[in-house]
Amino acid sequence: MAIRGNMLIAQSGGPTAAINASLAGAVEFAMEREEIGQIYGAKNGVEGILQEHFVDLRPLLQTPEDFTRLVKTPAMALGSCRKRLSEQPNEEYEKLLDIFLRWEIRYFFYIGGNDSMDAVKKLSAYFSAKGEDIRVVGIPKTIDNDMACTDHTPGFGSAARYIAATMAEIACDSAIYTPASLTLVEIMGRNAGWLTAAAALARRPGWDAPHIICMPEIPFEEEKFLRRVRELQAEKKHLILAISEGIRYKDGTYVAAQSKLDAFGHRQLSGAAHTLGSLLLEEIGCKVRPIELNVLQRCSAHLSSETDLREAACIGKEAVSFALDGKTGVMATFIRESNNPYTIRYGYAEVEKVANVEHTVPVEWIDAEHMDIRQELIDYLTPLIQNPSDPESGLPTYFQIP
């Protein structure tokens, strides 16, 4: 049952090319509902709420063109934060409740990943324990595609499309010279290899890169890796290798150089491609080029997936609908019904089943040698990068002289 009150929406975690589409979808739908009064955006997530750094979104989004521009804007219009709420309620919880009551906030939407859903879980539980009817609903996002209880996440499809297109262009670049070469492309994904697997979407007749795909779901074996590179070098002069930043040895040690932990205790990784590049240079000796895509894979709006943007806006609308229907402590989800034709429906999951839970690539979707992926994963990935308005509907195709 809907209640009358104001709405607050915020963004958190890492940026994507589609997170603003979810913001646009939620706000546009909320503007159509008479139960919702003021619509505020909190700058910089929970940190901004604690500082009462709110903006009135109604005057900023008045025309269809405003919403279209927001949908197509990468990164996060409201800014982000990496703040973690304490495990037990404290003075910050009390302050947040006081702010919500003073601003007459009855609907709160948090767009973010696993750690953001942790805040949704904690706040919804705290407000309920205090007897306050404040609906708290999570809207998923993450390019890593590692959130539980949803088929995929907004932002992933665009990042996957960028990676596939970039991999194809790197393959074109590496093939022009006579000397043998090895190119290692490091792709984001601490514990889940969804994005790294998306590199395989670059493959077309006559273009078979990437030739090796290393994902964090399977322990990295140095000797096996070197052996496979040598086998492929006997057949091909130029090899492209897709390397997840999160690959690790059997003992759990990351291949990448390790740096400090972030606010949520996650290891910040960088350097897997450079580490393996040094190994290949020493063991094989041909030209080696490590490439780290870094932030480019997160926010490249020029290669965004139309499917991703449309779904991101729709799931924002669905989240508001769930809250109006009385739901709290839930996250809006995608439920896939079919790969071909691709169809989904929207649902929701209890946020305690989502918060701090990682969804990794099923091992049965990785090939037996653990250096490539199976067709089931290709079938899963392909619909998410589609641009229905594009005659090719997916990725560019290139001319090749044999």
Side-chain angles (χ1 to χ4, degrees), residues 167 187 193 195-201 203 209-216 218 225 228 232 240-244 247 366-367 369-374 377-378:
M167 186 66 66
I187 299 168
L195 274 180
T196 308
L201 299 177
R203 293 170 179 162
H211 305 97
I212 289 177
I213 300 175
C214 294
M215 296 159 59
I218 302 294
F225 172 74
R228 182 58 179 155
L232 288 170
I240 314 292
L241 290 64
I243 307 295
S244 171
I247 57 172
I366 302 172
D367 84 330
E369 293 300 314
H370 300 162
M371 292 190 203
D372 208 335
I373 64 174
R374 296 185 185 277
L377 187 44
I378 295 289

Side-chain angles (χ1 to χ4, degrees), residues 102-146:
R102 282 192 290 104
W103 287 76
E104 299 181 358
I105 304 297
R106 289 296 174 182
Y107 299 98
F108 174 50
F109 302 96
Y110 211 19
I111 313 174
N114 295 323
D115 297 321
S116 302
M117 295 309 112
D118 179 70
V120 171
K121 179 184 74 170
K122 291 171 178 175
L123 287 177
S124 61
Y126 179 73
F127 294 155
S128 295
K130 290 294 184 178
E132 299 292 345
D133 190 1
I134 301 174
R135 284 97 184 262
V136 185
V137 175
I139 302 174
K141 74 88 213 171
T142 176
I143 66 166
D144 292 335
N145 199 40
D146 61 353

